[in-house]
């Protein structure tokens, strides 16, 4: 049975890096729950995370209960009842449009926690500066629904607003943030310098824990921003907390040849269990546990050896890895292996923690992979195993 395995030791490693950046820069690091929400692993992150950022009520409730600390919320639109509940425990609530803020402003400002300064309100802005490569993940593309463009703020009544929020990056480096912030300053610098603005949120998408990420450049920028604007500063990375901390171990269900391709059907689906493979698109590294292997995925189980699968045609046997659903495009990719694959063989798909588990579904009724936690002592603990009854309940 397919299973996700998450390493507490690897999560703690990433948390140490983020904690150091926060301490040296004075910025607050929030965990983006849209990327990683496995509460069984929060113990590894709590000391480094100042809190969480949530995309709506359910994530906010989860972060408030299981992670604690600061709760920052942004949603493209709020339902009145959801907003009423968020006002009771969130610390920052950011709005996506001026009309929505105006619709809810009096309700927000009249709340006792707002009068006491325990909840503040911000606007998400669009600096109209793209650095990404995938339009689907770029909030600054023409026609974007995310963030308020500069021209809409001219003459706007911003009473009650004390925060500004930008989020434009997706798995990018420090220079992308530097360039984006310069564009932000060009459009919104005078607003950011206003005494009414008490916090700036630079969003997520920062690959801070990647080995080649320029953390010194990031720290220098964050210090500069704090000195220039005198505000609280927040970052909300998601993938940076969970990069290289988990794998998806799958089994081969069937192997056959068709129309010139050798296919291997796995017990996990790109569509249902790793949709970023289709959406980004993202090509995961694949490993074959072998007694003679010398390669190592980010998370390896004690006593195992691995061989990394190659590009098509590099190693003797090439297979198209596919899922067990009826979707024709449920394909992970073409990989080559040193030996023939057979039903029952196990494969390891690397880096399957962030933006994977949170996006899974029960499409086609395919069984959901179990979720296991690997403890530092090598003990593997299953923390979630979904069954037919879970599939049935969600369909009503």
């Amino acid at each position: 049975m397919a299973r996700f395995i998450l390493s507490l030791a690897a999560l703690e490693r990433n948390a140490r890096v983020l904690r150091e950046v926060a301490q040296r820069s004075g910025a607050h690091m929030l965990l983006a729950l849209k990327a990683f929400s496995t509460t069984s692993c929060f113990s590894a992150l709590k000391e480094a995370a100042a809190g969480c950022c949530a995309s709506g009520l359910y994530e906010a409730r989860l972060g408030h209960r299981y992670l604690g600390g600061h709760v920052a919320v942004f949603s493209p639109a709020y339902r009145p009842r959801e907003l009423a509940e968020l006002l009771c425990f969130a610390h920052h609530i950011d709005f996506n449009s001026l009309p929505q803020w105006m619709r809810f402003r009096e309700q927000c400002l009249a709340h006792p926690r707002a009068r006491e300064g325990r909840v503040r309100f911000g606007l998400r802005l669009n600096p109209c500066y793209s650095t990404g490569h995938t339009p689907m993940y770029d909030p600054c593309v023409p026609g974007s629904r995310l963030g308020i463009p500069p021209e809409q703020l001219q003459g706007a009544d911003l009473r009650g607003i004390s925060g500004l929020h930008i989020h434009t990056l997706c798995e990018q480096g420090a220079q992308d943030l530097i360039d984006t912030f310069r564009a932000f300053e060009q459009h919104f610098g005078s607003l950011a310098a206003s005494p009414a603005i008490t916090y700036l949120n630079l969003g997520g998408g920062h690959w801070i824990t990647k080995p080649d990420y320029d953390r010194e450049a990031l720290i220098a920028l964050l210090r500069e921003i704090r000195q220039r604007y005198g505000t609280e500063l927040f970052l909300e990375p998601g993938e940076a907390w969970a990069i290289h901390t988990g794998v998806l171990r799958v089994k081969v269900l069937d192997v056959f040849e068709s129309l010139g391709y050798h296919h291997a059907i796995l017990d996990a689906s790109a569509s249902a269990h790793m949709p970023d493979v289709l959406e980004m698109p993202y090509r995961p590294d694949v490993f074959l546990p072998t007694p003679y292997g010398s390669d190592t995925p980010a998370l390896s189980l004690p006593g195992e050896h691995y061989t990394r699968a190659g590009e098509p045609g590099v190693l003797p046997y090439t297979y198209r890895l596919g899922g067990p659903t009826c979707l024709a495009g449920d394909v992970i990719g073409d990989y080559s292996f040193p030996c023939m694959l057979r039903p029952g063989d196990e494969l390891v798909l690397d880096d399957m923690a962030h933006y994977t588990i949170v996006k899974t579904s029960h499409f086609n009724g395919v069984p959901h992979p179990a979720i296991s936690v690997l403890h530092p002592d090598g003990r593997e603990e299953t923390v979630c195993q979904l069954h037919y009854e879970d599939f049935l309940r969600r369909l009503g």
Side-chain angles (χ1 to χ4, degrees), residues 74 93-98 101 121-125 147-148 153 156-158 161-166 191 199:
F74 165 79
I93 301 176
D94 293 341
F95 289 80
N96 187 57
S97 75
L98 286 172
W101 166 241
F121 308 101
L123 297 175
R124 177 165 175 171
L125 306 179
I148 302 168
L153 289 182
D157 177 6
L158 301 184
I161 292 296
S162 58
L164 304 178
H165 177 180
I166 59 171
L191 176 58
Y199 73 89

Side-chain angles (χ1 to χ4, degrees), residues 40 85 94 100 124 131 141 219 222 250 280 301 317 342:
S40 300
E85 184 173 344
D94 293 341
Q100 185 164 88
R124 177 165 175 171
T131 59
V141 294
I219 292 168
L222 299 179
V250 301
M280 278 293 286
L301 294 184
Y317 302 94
R342 294 179 173 82

Side-chain angles (χ1 to χ4, degrees), residues 46-70:
K46 273 189 174 182
E47 290 188 12
C52 71
C53 65
S55 302
L57 176 60
Y58 285 1
E59 283 187 351
R61 288 170 61 178
L62 183 149
H64 179 59
R65 175 178 177 182
Y66 291 99
L67 190 64
H70 191 95

Side-chain angles (χ1 to χ4, degrees), residues 103-392:
R103 189 177 311 125
F104 291 115
R105 179 168 66 180
E106 299 311 317
Q107 175 189 355
C108 289
L109 297 182
H111 195 277
R113 293 184 70 246
R115 293 199 300 266
E116 296 165 2
R118 293 193 291 151
V119 56
R120 291 178 282 174
F121 308 101
L123 297 175
R124 177 165 175 171
L125 306 179
N126 183 346
C128 300
Y129 183 82
S130 294
T131 59
H133 307 291
T134 305
M136 184 175 182
Y137 292 89
D138 184 357
C140 295
V141 294
S144 173
R145 77 191 198 289
L146 297 177
I148 302 168
E151 61 271 14
Q152 290 188 9
L153 289 182
Q154 296 178 9
D157 177 6
L158 301 184
R159 179 176 61 90
I161 292 296
S162 58
L164 304 178
H165 177 180
I166 59 171
H167 177 78
T168 67
L169 305 185
C170 179
E171 299 184 343
Q172 291 174 266
Q175 190 59 51
D176 295 304
L177 176 61
I178 293 170
D179 294 341
T180 297
F181 192 76
R182 300 308 176 210
F184 166 86
E185 287 188 300
Q186 179 181 351
H187 294 301
F188 308 112
S190 59
L191 176 58
S194 166
I197 300 302
T198 61
Y199 73 89
L200 295 176
N201 185 333
L202 302 185
H206 318 286
W207 264 16
I208 300 170
T209 52
K210 277 284 192 180
D212 58 350
Y213 187 95
D214 190 348
R215 289 190 281 272
E216 294 302 321
L218 172 65
I219 292 168
L221 174 67
L222 299 179
R223 287 174 173 173
E224 174 194 333
I225 294 171
R226 292 184 64 241
Q227 181 178 15
R228 180 175 302 170
Y229 296 101
T231 60
E232 276 192 288
L233 193 57
F234 293 85
L235 277 75
E236 44 185 49
E239 61 266 37
W241 293 96
I243 290 172
H244 302 314
T245 64
V247 299
L248 175 58
R249 295 180 73 101
V250 301
K251 285 193 174 181
V252 177
L253 299 179
D254 191 21
V255 178
F256 59 91
E257 188 274 333
S258 178
L259 300 175
Y261 287 86
H262 288 86
H263 295 270
I265 306 299
L266 311 179
D267 66 348
S269 159
S271 174
H273 306 138
M274 49 189 116
D276 270 359
V277 169
L278 305 180
E279 293 176 3
M280 278 293 286
Y282 166 67
R283 178 183 169 87
D285 289 331
V286 175
F287 292 82
L288 178 69
T290 59
Y292 53 82
S294 58
D295 297 300
T296 306
L299 170 59
S300 55
L301 294 184
E304 284 195 334
H305 303 277
Y306 304 84
T307 295
R308 182 192 296 267
E311 294 291 328
V314 172
L315 298 175
Y317 302 94
T318 295
Y319 295 90
R320 174 160 292 178
L321 304 183
T325 74
C326 67
L327 177 67
D330 190 0
V331 173
I332 298 163
D334 296 344
Y335 296 82
S336 62
F337 297 87
C339 57
M340 296 177 64
L341 296 183
R342 294 179 173 82
D345 285 347
E346 190 168 55
L347 301 177
V348 177
L349 281 64
D350 205 8
D351 210 10
M352 284 283 151
H354 64 286
Y355 285 110
T356 301
I357 299 173
V358 294
K359 286 189 170 186
T360 57
S361 74
H362 282 286
F363 174 59
N364 258 200
V366 173
H368 193 286
I371 302 174
S372 297
V373 171
L374 183 65
H375 293 266
D377 61 7
R379 175 173 52 91
E380 186 180 336
E381 176 190 7
T382 299
V383 296
C384 179
Q385 178 67 74
L386 300 181
H387 302 283
Y388 165 73
E389 289 74 19
D390 302 290
F391 164 69
L392 186 64

